[in-house]
Amino acid sequence: MLARVANNLFWMGRYIERSEHVARYLNVNYFSSLDAPHQLSQSRQFVLRSMLYMVGLSDGDESEELDEAKVLYKIGMDPQSEFSILNNVKYARENANSARDLISTELYEAINKFYHFVFNYDSNIYMKNGLHDFTTNITEMSAILRGKMRGTLLHDEIYAIIMMGVNIERATQITRIINAKHHDALKAQGSYGDKFSNSYEWTTLLKCAESYDMMRRFYKKTPNSISTLEFLILNPNCPRSVMNSLNQVYKHIRLLDPSKRYNKNSTAFLVGRVRAEYQYKYIREIEEDIQYFIKSILDSLSEISEKMENEFFNY
Amino acid sequence: MIIPEENESQDFVKVDFSTSVKTIIEYSENGYGFRTIRVKSKEPFDKISFEARIRLVKKAADPFKSINLIEDPAISYSEIQTLLFRIEHDSFLRTTDLTFLPSKYATLFTFDKEKSIFENLQALNQFIFNYVSFKPNMTDVNSTVAEFIEKKQGVCQDMVHLFCALARHNGIPTRYVSGFLHQGNGYFGDSQMHAWSEAFIPNAGWIAFDPTNNILANNDHIKVAHGKDYSDCAPLKGVINGPGTNKTQYTVQVESQQQ
Amino acid sequence: MGKIQNQIFSSYQRNPILYDEIFDKQGTIKEVYSRLFELYGGHTIKEYVKLNEKAKSSFFNQGITFQVYNEKETMEKIFPFDLFPRIIDQEEWDIIERGAVQRSRALNLFLWDIYHDKKIIKQGIVPLELISSSENYLDQMVGLDPPGGIYNHISGTDIIKHNDGKYYVLEDNIRCPSGVSYVICNRTALKRALFGVFNHYKTHAVTNYAENLLDLLETVKPQGVDLPNVVVLTPGMYNSAFYEHSYLAKTMGVELVEGRDLFVENDFVYMRTIRGPEKVDIIYRRVDDGFIDPLEFRADSALGVPGLFAAYKKGNVTLANAPGTGVADDKAIYTYMPEIIKYYLDEEPILNNVHTYHCSRPDELQYVLEHIPELVIKPVDEAGGYGISIGNRLSKSEIEEVKSQLKSSPRKYVAQPIMSLSVHPTYIDETESFEQRHVDLRTFTVLGQDRDFVLKGGLTRVALKRGNLIVNSSQGGGSKDTWVLKK
C-alpha cells in the first residue's frame, strides 16, 4: 500500500469517528438538558458552553450571552470552522477520494452519501429545529460506515490502518468528552451526598458515549463519578472505552507490524506500553487527578499518531 | 547534470562527483542519449552543493581538414534539398520556440549560392559577430531570436539561436551546442557556460562555428551536449519539492594541462 | 404493422433529413429496438421522470462527478446520462470492432516507422512536414523500442453514423483517451433504474474491460520481469477524470499512484509504500507527455517523476501509452489514414474516413470549388476550430470569398463533406419528453503483444442542445448506455 494513501485512510477513519462523536455530543447534551434535574444543567447557556469546550473552541466569557443558533452553526455546519461536523465529513470524503481504488465501492458510496447528506442539509432548518434530525442521521450514518468497513473490506493492512485511525480518534474523543463533562460536573453538582460524584452530568456523559444502558446493566446502580469513569476508561468490554480503543489499536498495529523483535522505537512498542499502563490501573488513581490523566492519555495518543506517521507514512 | 560527451575531438577520462548532503548519485542517460549524473537527496535540506571534476583529453583536430575544399556548391545545394536529406536531418532543420525567425527577418542574412555552404556559414558566423554585440544581462534564457535582433545585444546563447535560425532557414541542419570554454585566449563568452553551433555540410559532416568569437570551435571548446536549442541541452537541471523560493549559483573553471 | 400505443413517445418529432437510429424512414420502429420501445412505452411520463431522478442520484451516490469551480464554491456535477440505451446489433458491431483494431494496429506501425526508419515519408506517402511541424513528435523517442513494440496500447476511436447509414471515423484518440469508466457506470445506472429491460435482450457485458486491460498491459512488460507490478498514474484527485483513474486502478486491482508516490533510482522506478520502496514495471499513465518527467520535459511539472524517461529509455519500465504517440492523432495525420492502413497492413480500410480533399492537388481543388455548399472547408493548420467554413451556411458572397481564398492559397486548405451525425431519441428534462439528438460513439481498443481487445460497448455521447453537433462533455454533452447484442 502506498504510504500517502495509507495516511489518507488513517485520517479518513479519524474524521469519520470525530464527526460522529461531535454530533452525538451535541445531540445528547442538548436534549438531556431539556429535562435535567439540576437547574444549571437545564440552562441553555451552560449546554452551549459545554459544546464549545468539547470541540476545543473557547467557551467564552461567562458573562457573555451565547447565541444558540450561532453556536450550533459553528460546530455543526460552518464551512469556515475547522472543527465543524461539515468539515470533518468533507475531509473524511476527500481522504476517501484519494484512496478510492483501495476501499470497497460499498464503503465509498456510503461515505459519499454521508457527504451529500451533510452538504445538502439546509443550515436554517438545522439551526431552527433540525438539530435532532441532523445529529441522529450523522450518528446513524457513521454506524453504517462502521458496518461497511467491517463487512466489506478485506481485514488486511488497509483495514488495519483505517481501524488504527478510528480507534485512536475514538480514545481521543472519549477523553475529550470526559474532560468536558468533568468540567460540567464540577459546575453542576448533584443534590445529595458527594455532590460532584452524584452529578447528573455523569449520566449525560454515558449517553454521549452511547454507553448508558450497558453501564446500568453492569453496575446496577445510578452512575456516579467513579463507576462512570471506570466504565468509560478502564472497562475493556465497553466498546467505547479508552481501554477497548487501546486494545483495538494494539491489535491492528500488530497486523501491520507482526514482528516479535524487541524494537523500542517502533509504533507497536509504544502502543503496547501505553496499553499496558492503563490495563493495570485503578480507577481511584485516575480520579484523584483527572486532569493529569486527560493530559497524559491525549499526549500518548498523539505520540502514537506521530510515530505511525514516521514509521509508515513517510517514505 | 550532463557529462561532456565523447567525440572525435575529445576523449572523456573520468569524473569525480561529490555533494555536501548525503545523496544518491546515479549515472544515467537523458532522452537525447547524453550521459548524465542524477542526484537525489533523501533528506530535506536548506542548502546543497555539488562539485564535479571532469578530466578530458582534447585531440588536436584540424576542422578544415575534413572539409572537402572542392565542395561543389551546386551539388551541395541540391543535396540539401532532397527528401532523404531533409528526413535524415529533420530535427535540426525544425524551428523551435527559441529559434523562431519572424518572416520579416528572413532576409537578414542570405546565402550566396555561388559560394560553398562552408563559406556561407563562415560569412554567417562573421555576420552575427558584427551585427550584434556581446553584453550580459540584456537577455535571459527564454529570450527569443526576435528580441535579440531588436536589442542587438546578448550573450552566446542568443548568438547561437540566431545562427541556428538563419542557417536552418537556408536549409542547413544546425544544432545548438552547450559546453565550456577555456578562457585566457581573449575570447568572449560567459566564463561559466558557453554555447556555439554545429552545422551539417554534405560530405563533410558537422562543423562547429562559434559566432560569439567568430571562429571555428577548437581545442578550447569542451562540448557537453547538443540539441535543437538551449532547452534541449541545459547542462544542469533540477527539481525542488517544497514550498518557498530557492536560489542557485554555480561556477565553472577550465584548466589545461599539457600531456 | 399497427402503431404501438406509446405515450412517452407521443410527442416525438422525426426530422426526415436526419438518420434516426431507432426509426426507419417511414417512421417504423426498427426490429432491434421494438421490444425496448414497447417496454419503455409501458411507463407514463411521470414514472419516467422519477426513474430519471433515480438514475441521477445513482451517479451522485457513486461519486461519479466532476467539479465546477466558481469564485464562491466548488460544485459537483454529474455527467448527464440518458436512460434510453443505444443498441448496436452484432453485425454492425463486427464492422466497428474490426475497423477499430485495424486503425489501432496501423497507427502503431506508423508510430514505429516514424520513430525509426521513416519509410512512409521516404516513399512520399506522408509528407515530412506532417511530422516535423507536429509539436507532439518527440525527438527523445527516435530509435527507442518500446517494450513489446507497442505505442498506442489504448485507443479511443470516435465514430459517427452519417445519414447514408454508414459509420465514419472522426478522430483517433491515442494519447490518454478517457471515458471508459462512464461506459461501465452508465450500465450500472441503467441496471439500477430499469433492470427489467435487460431480461429481454442478450447484451454483452462491459465490466470485463479492466481485466483485459491488465492482461494486455502485462504482455508488454519490460524484459526480465516475471510478475510485473502495474500501476495507474494519475495527476491527482482534482483532475476531472480522477474517478476514471481510481475506477481503473480498483478494477485492475493495482495501485493508483501520483507522481510524488514514485521515484527513480538507478533507472528503475519505485513507489513509496508503507513497507518501503516497491519496484514498478508497467505504468498506465494518465498524465500527458509534457508532464511525466520534469527533467526531460516541462520543468515546471509537479505531476511527474524526475528520471522516469531515463528509466523508460533503459527499458526498465513500460509506459502506456508510450510518450510521443500524440503525433499520430493530429488532425493532419487523420486525413492520411486510408493510405496509412494500406501501406502497413495492405488492407482496405474497414471503417470509412471522412473523405478529405487536399486543395493542393489541382483536380481535388476543382471538385472543391464546384461543390462548396456540400463541404466543410478547413485550414490545414487549424487550431480550436478557427477558420472553418461550413458550406451550407454560407451566403453567395461568402462562397465567392472562400473560392478566391482557395484559389490564391490552395495549399492552406482541405475540404470534407458535411457530415450529419445520426440522431437518437433522448429524454429532455426541460420538455419532459423524448426528442431527437445527435450522437456519436467512442470505442475503446487495447493493443497488446500479438493480442488485442475491443470493449463490446462504448460511450455513446449525446449533444443535448437541439441541433448541436458537439457531443463533448465539456460542451454540455451527455451519454447513453450502449448495448452490443450477442448473436
Side-chain angles (χ1 to χ4, degrees):
Chain A
M1 179 176 21
L2 290 173
R4 173 181 56 82
V5 175
N7 192 12
N8 290 140
L9 287 172
F10 178 75
W11 282 99
M12 177 191 88
R14 293 197 68 153
Y15 284 121
I16 291 172
E17 192 70 18
R18 191 175 296 177
S19 47
E20 184 202 342
H21 280 88
V22 175
R24 196 159 356 80
Y25 194 82
L26 293 190
N27 183 311
V28 172
N29 277 281
Y30 191 92
F31 294 101
S32 52
S33 76
L34 297 178
D35 57 353
H38 190 282
Q39 211 175 358
L40 186 57
S41 299
Q42 259 190 42
S43 143
R44 196 58 54 85
Q45 287 295 311
F46 177 74
V47 171
L48 294 176
R49 271 181 223 289
S50 172
M51 290 173 179
L52 289 171
Y53 189 81
M54 185 267 173
V55 295
L57 291 164
S58 154
D59 54 354
D61 188 347
E62 291 275 334
S63 60
E64 185 199 347
E65 179 83 8
L66 294 171
D67 181 311
E68 175 176 325
K70 272 190 193 155
V71 171
L72 293 182
Y73 180 70
K74 195 163 190 175
I75 302 175
M77 301 204 68
D78 186 356
Q80 308 300 335
S81 146
E82 283 293 306
F83 297 87
S84 67
I85 295 173
L86 180 110
N87 273 328
N88 279 321
V89 176
K90 182 179 155 199
Y91 299 146
R93 180 177 180 256
E94 259 175 33
N95 280 295
N97 266 344
S98 65
R100 204 169 164 162
D101 54 315
L102 294 185
I103 58 179
S104 62
T105 311
E106 291 77 11
L107 175 59
Y108 180 79
E109 270 194 45
I111 292 175
N112 201 42
K113 267 191 196 164
F114 189 21
Y115 169 83
H116 286 298
F117 168 78
V118 174
F119 265 72
N120 294 329
Y121 208 91
D122 185 330
S123 59
N124 288 316
I125 293 181
Y126 160 74
M127 288 184 286
K128 239 163 103 194
N129 53 22
L131 179 67
H132 189 269
D133 176 57
F134 181 75
T135 52
T136 307
N137 263 296
I138 290 198
T139 50
E140 277 173 6
M141 282 177 162
S142 16
I144 289 175
L145 290 182
R146 264 201 304 279
K148 299 274 183 194
M149 285 176 199
R150 198 175 50 243
T152 68
L153 296 180
L154 206 58
H155 287 209
D156 61 359
E157 290 179 343
I158 295 171
Y159 182 69
I161 294 259
I162 300 174
M163 293 321 281
M164 292 278 295
V166 165
N167 285 292
I168 289 177
E169 187 63 25
R170 183 177 300 167
T172 308
Q173 289 305 325
I174 287 293
T175 309
R176 297 184 71 101
I177 291 175
I178 292 173
N179 186 24
K181 292 320 289 177
H182 175 257
H183 184 79
D184 290 349
L186 285 173
K187 291 190 202 163
Q189 305 210 339
S191 51
Y192 63 93
D194 180 345
K195 289 182 177 168
F196 163 73
S197 176
N198 292 325
S199 169
Y200 178 68
E201 298 301 326
W202 301 117
T203 298
T204 321
L205 168 55
L206 284 163
K207 286 185 176 164
C208 289
E210 282 185 331
S211 305
Y212 179 70
D213 297 340
M214 291 304 117
M215 191 275 181
R216 292 300 299 253
R217 246 180 76 81
F218 189 74
Y219 288 98
K220 301 190 173 59
K221 58 180 180 189
T222 315
N224 61 23
S225 62
I226 287 288
S227 57
T228 303
L229 291 174
E230 186 174 70
F231 195 64
L232 285 185
I233 297 171
L234 298 180
N235 189 326
N237 295 326
C238 165
R240 296 283 159 77
S241 73
V242 174
M243 195 62 235
N244 184 281
S245 302
L246 288 174
N247 286 339
Q248 292 290 325
V249 173
Y250 184 75
K251 178 176 149 197
H252 291 108
I253 191 71
R254 273 290 164 222
L255 220 147
L256 281 173
D257 176 8
S259 147
K260 297 267 189 306
R261 206 160 46 89
Y262 177 80
N263 176 3
K264 65 179 170 32
N265 294 320
S266 70
T267 314
F269 185 87
L270 177 66
V271 174
R273 235 174 97 84
V274 174
R275 172 175 170 251
E277 184 188 342
Y278 290 97
Q279 201 169 4
Y280 302 108
K281 255 218 179 1
Y282 297 126
I283 191 60
R284 294 278 176 203
E285 290 173 305
I286 291 175
E287 205 230 1
E288 252 167 38
D289 189 350
I290 193 110
Q291 283 310 318
Y292 173 78
F293 155 76
I294 284 163
K295 190 179 175 307
S296 60
I297 184 75
L298 289 179
D299 285 350
S300 299
L301 289 167
S302 72
E303 201 186 334
I304 291 171
S305 186
E306 245 169 66
K307 239 207 162 106
M308 267 199 86
E309 200 161 300
N310 287 328
E311 189 175 343
F312 298 101
F313 307 154
N314 223 353
Y315 281 102
Chain B
M1 191 190 89
I2 304 179
I3 305 173
E5 73 157 11
E6 193 148 35
N7 60 32
E8 290 166 349
S9 78
Q10 63 191 37
D11 280 341
F12 174 79
V13 180
K14 69 170 199 166
V15 56
D16 293 316
F17 192 88
S18 59
T19 61
S20 62
V21 174
K22 201 175 154 223
T23 53
I24 299 159
I25 298 172
E26 301 168 55
Y27 292 82
S28 184
E29 207 176 82
N30 72 8
Y32 297 102
F34 294 100
R35 290 197 302 158
T36 58
I37 295 180
R38 226 173 24 231
V39 181
K40 185 172 67 224
S41 169
K42 281 211 159 169
E43 303 292 320
F45 57 83
D46 294 328
K47 236 182 205 177
I48 189 166
S49 63
F50 317 99
E51 185 173 287
R53 291 176 168 275
I54 299 158
R55 189 182 270 272
L56 295 151
V57 175
K58 287 297 289 189
K59 288 182 279 195
D62 179 4
F64 291 94
K65 191 179 62 186
S66 59
I67 298 169
N68 188 350
L69 290 175
I70 47 164
E71 179 194 346
D72 180 343
I75 293 176
S76 295
Y77 290 111
S78 75
E79 174 158 5
I80 63 170
Q81 295 292 329
T82 62
L83 181 63
L84 280 182
F85 183 86
R86 287 189 296 123
I87 292 171
E88 175 85 3
H89 298 290
D90 175 47
S91 43
F92 299 112
L93 283 166
R94 246 180 277 154
T95 178
T96 65
D97 289 346
L98 289 174
T99 60
F100 174 69
L101 185 69
S103 53
K104 60 176 170 176
Y105 297 124
T107 53
L108 196 64
F109 179 88
T110 46
F111 271 40
D112 178 353
K113 296 278 164 78
E114 299 295 312
K115 293 185 179 153
S116 70
I117 291 176
F118 178 69
E119 285 168 299
N120 272 302
L121 289 170
Q122 276 196 309
L124 174 60
N125 212 26
Q126 172 139 36
F127 166 77
I128 293 173
F129 182 78
N130 295 332
Y131 185 72
V132 291
S133 56
F134 184 89
K135 192 169 178 195
N137 304 324
M138 296 301 292
T139 52
D140 61 42
V141 288
N142 298 316
S143 294
T144 61
V145 164
E147 282 169 52
F148 180 52
I149 293 176
E150 278 148 32
K151 288 183 182 159
K152 290 196 175 180
Q153 286 174 322
V155 295
C156 51
Q157 176 184 328
D158 306 303
M159 308 217 188
V160 177
H161 282 151
L162 179 58
F163 186 98
C164 290
L166 288 166
R168 286 177 198 169
H169 183 72
N170 285 287
I172 313 296
T174 315
R175 54 199 193 190
Y176 183 103
V177 179
S178 67
F180 309 111
L181 181 64
H182 180 217
Q183 302 281 312
N185 285 332
Y187 293 130
F188 283 112
D190 197 300
S191 61
Q192 312 299 343
M193 209 81 243
H194 193 49
W196 56 97
S197 43
E198 289 177 341
F200 189 88
I201 300 172
N203 301 319
W206 292 100
I207 307 295
F209 297 86
D210 180 352
T212 317
N213 295 297
N214 188 23
I215 52 169
L216 294 182
N218 58 33
N219 268 347
D220 293 318
H221 291 74
I222 297 160
K223 177 173 171 182
V224 173
H226 63 245
K228 295 183 291 296
D229 61 26
Y230 171 76
S231 60
D232 281 354
C233 49
L236 291 171
K237 275 187 183 177
V239 179
I240 290 169
N241 295 323
T245 54
N246 64 82
K247 253 200 226 168
T248 51
Q249 225 183 3
Y250 60 89
T251 60
V252 177
Q253 225 177 336
V254 182
E255 282 167 13
S256 72
Q257 276 175 349
Q258 292 295 332
Q259 273 197 327
Chain C
M1 184 176 178
K3 247 213 163 348
I4 299 161
Q5 201 62 35
N6 196 325
Q7 49 166 324
I8 59 173
F9 273 89
S10 56
S11 60
Y12 188 71
Q13 290 191 343
R14 246 173 2 93
N15 179 344
I17 306 165
L18 302 174
Y19 184 95
D20 195 304
E21 293 278 352
I22 92 160
F23 294 99
D24 66 14
K25 281 224 159 28
Q26 284 71 43
T28 318
I29 187 87
K30 289 181 190 169
E31 178 70 35
V32 24
Y33 278 100
S34 62
R35 188 78 191 108
L36 192 69
F37 189 65
E38 263 175 55
L39 291 165
Y40 274 65
H43 292 285
T44 63
I45 278 286
K46 261 196 177 158
E47 285 170 334
Y48 199 81
V49 171
K50 254 195 198 151
L51 287 173
N52 204 37
E53 289 302 319
K54 213 160 122 189
K56 275 189 195 168
S57 69
S58 153
F59 276 90
F60 261 114
N61 291 337
Q62 290 179 75
I64 306 160
T65 52
F66 63 101
Q67 301 196 319
V68 186
Y69 301 90
N70 66 15
E71 305 100 57
K72 272 165 89 189
E73 51 187 353
T74 43
M75 296 247 296
E76 280 196 59
K77 292 209 159 181
I78 57 166
F79 289 106
F81 165 70
D82 188 63
L83 276 178
F84 198 94
R86 177 193 201 165
I87 304 178
I88 299 174
D89 68 31
Q90 180 61 39
E91 226 168 283
E92 276 192 8
W93 178 257
D94 197 48
I95 298 169
I96 293 175
E97 181 165 332
R98 285 188 298 118
V101 170
Q102 182 191 48
R103 288 181 84 95
S104 298
R105 287 256 166 236
L107 282 168
N108 192 53
L109 293 167
F110 174 68
L111 282 161
W112 178 278
D113 188 19
I114 60 170
Y115 283 121
H116 289 82
D117 297 336
K118 304 190 174 105
K119 285 190 194 127
I120 197 165
I121 304 172
K122 286 179 184 162
Q123 296 185 16
I125 294 162
V126 169
L128 172 64
E129 287 66 32
L130 237 48
I131 308 302
S132 61
S133 66
S134 170
E135 284 187 11
N136 298 306
Y137 187 81
L138 294 182
D139 287 319
Q140 289 97 323
M141 288 296 292
V142 172
L144 195 154
D145 302 347
I150 304 291
Y151 289 85
N152 52 324
H153 308 80
I154 297 109
S155 316
T157 314
D158 292 345
I159 302 171
I160 59 149
K161 200 187 247 183
H162 186 41
N163 57 14
D164 60 4
K166 288 185 185 142
Y167 285 106
Y168 288 81
V169 173
L170 281 192
E171 228 177 279
D172 302 280
N173 299 280
I174 57 175
R175 288 170 229 206
C176 300
S178 64
V180 71
S181 58
Y182 295 104
V183 175
I184 294 137
C185 297
N186 285 350
R187 182 65 53 86
T188 308
L190 190 59
K191 276 198 221 161
R192 285 183 182 186
L194 282 156
F195 51 89
V197 299
F198 284 90
N199 296 335
H200 302 273
Y201 283 92
K202 282 185 182 161
T203 306
H204 277 288
V206 288
T207 40
N208 58 349
Y209 180 75
E211 55 193 88
N212 279 285
L213 177 60
L214 183 62
D215 278 358
L216 288 171
L217 284 175
E218 286 177 349
T219 66
V220 292
K221 62 191 179 188
Q223 279 202 333
V225 174
D226 265 348
L227 293 167
N229 198 357
V230 182
V231 299
V232 176
L233 175 64
T234 173
M237 58 183 273
Y238 297 104
N239 185 277
S240 61
F242 180 75
Y243 167 72
E244 176 152 313
H245 308 158
S246 69
Y247 175 84
L248 290 169
K250 178 193 268 182
T251 46
M252 287 196 279
V254 305
E255 295 289 351
L256 177 66
V257 304
E258 293 180 17
R260 57 189 161 139
D261 297 323
L262 300 179
F263 67 93
V264 174
E265 203 163 295
N266 292 318
D267 295 332
F268 284 92
V269 183
Y270 299 87
M271 60 179 167
R272 302 170 210 270
T273 77
I274 56 169
R275 308 236 176 269
E278 197 178 300
K279 185 154 118 355
V280 169
D281 307 301
I282 299 171
I283 302 177
Y284 176 25
R285 49 104 182 187
R286 296 293 295 259
V287 172
D288 289 336
D289 281 359
F291 295 92
I292 55 172
D293 181 351
L295 288 180
E296 199 65 47
F297 305 104
R298 289 182 59 156
D300 58 345
S301 166
L303 307 174
V305 187
L308 179 60
F309 194 83
Y312 180 66
K313 199 174 156 134
K314 276 269 175 77
N316 292 337
V317 67
T318 302
L319 292 174
N321 290 351
T325 49
V327 62
D329 72 7
D330 281 358
K331 290 203 169 49
I333 297 289
Y334 166 84
T335 63
Y336 288 90
M337 273 312 286
E339 286 87 349
I340 288 172
I341 292 169
K342 267 178 222 149
Y343 182 76
Y344 294 109
L345 302 173
D346 196 21
E347 290 170 5
E348 288 302 315
I350 297 166
L351 286 170
N352 301 301
N353 238 43
V354 178
H355 186 82
T356 305
Y357 300 93
H358 295 265
C359 300
S360 53
R361 300 175 189 160
D363 51 331
E364 296 190 4
L365 174 65
Q366 196 52 39
Y367 178 90
V368 172
L369 290 172
E370 285 163 15
H371 295 85
I372 285 183
E374 301 152 34
L375 299 170
V376 184
I377 320 289
K378 300 176 175 177
V380 177
D381 54 358
E382 85 206 72
Y386 289 106
I388 294 183
S389 314
I390 299 171
N392 60 2
R393 302 208 181 144
L394 297 177
S395 67
K396 273 198 170 161
S397 63
E398 284 170 328
I399 289 185
E400 288 311 312
E401 210 174 292
V402 170
K403 276 188 183 174
S404 70
Q405 275 171 3
L406 289 176
K407 281 183 206 157
S408 67
S409 39
R411 296 187 69 90
K412 275 194 180 164
Y413 295 94
V414 294
Q416 290 175 335
I418 298 170
M419 298 309 282
S420 166
L421 279 65
S422 62
V423 291
H424 202 285
T426 301
Y427 178 75
I428 302 299
D429 265 342
E430 295 85 64
T431 59
E432 294 196 341
S433 64
F434 279 93
E435 295 182 16
Q436 287 186 324
R437 285 296 182 270
H438 291 290
V439 292
D440 82 342
L441 174 68
R442 173 173 284 189
T443 60
F444 298 90
T445 308
V446 188
L447 292 187
Q449 207 169 8
D450 311 319
R451 248 190 76 196
D452 45 56
F453 170 78
V454 181
L455 178 62
K456 289 195 192 324
L459 189 63
T460 293
R461 299 185 294 180
V462 191
L464 288 178
K465 276 191 215 141
R466 186 180 309 197
N468 200 336
L469 293 173
I470 300 167
V471 294
N472 298 40
S473 58
S474 57
Q475 312 261 4
S479 68
K480 279 173 177 289
D481 188 18
T482 307
W483 295 0
V484 172
L485 298 185
K486 290 182 184 164
K487 269 188 187 125

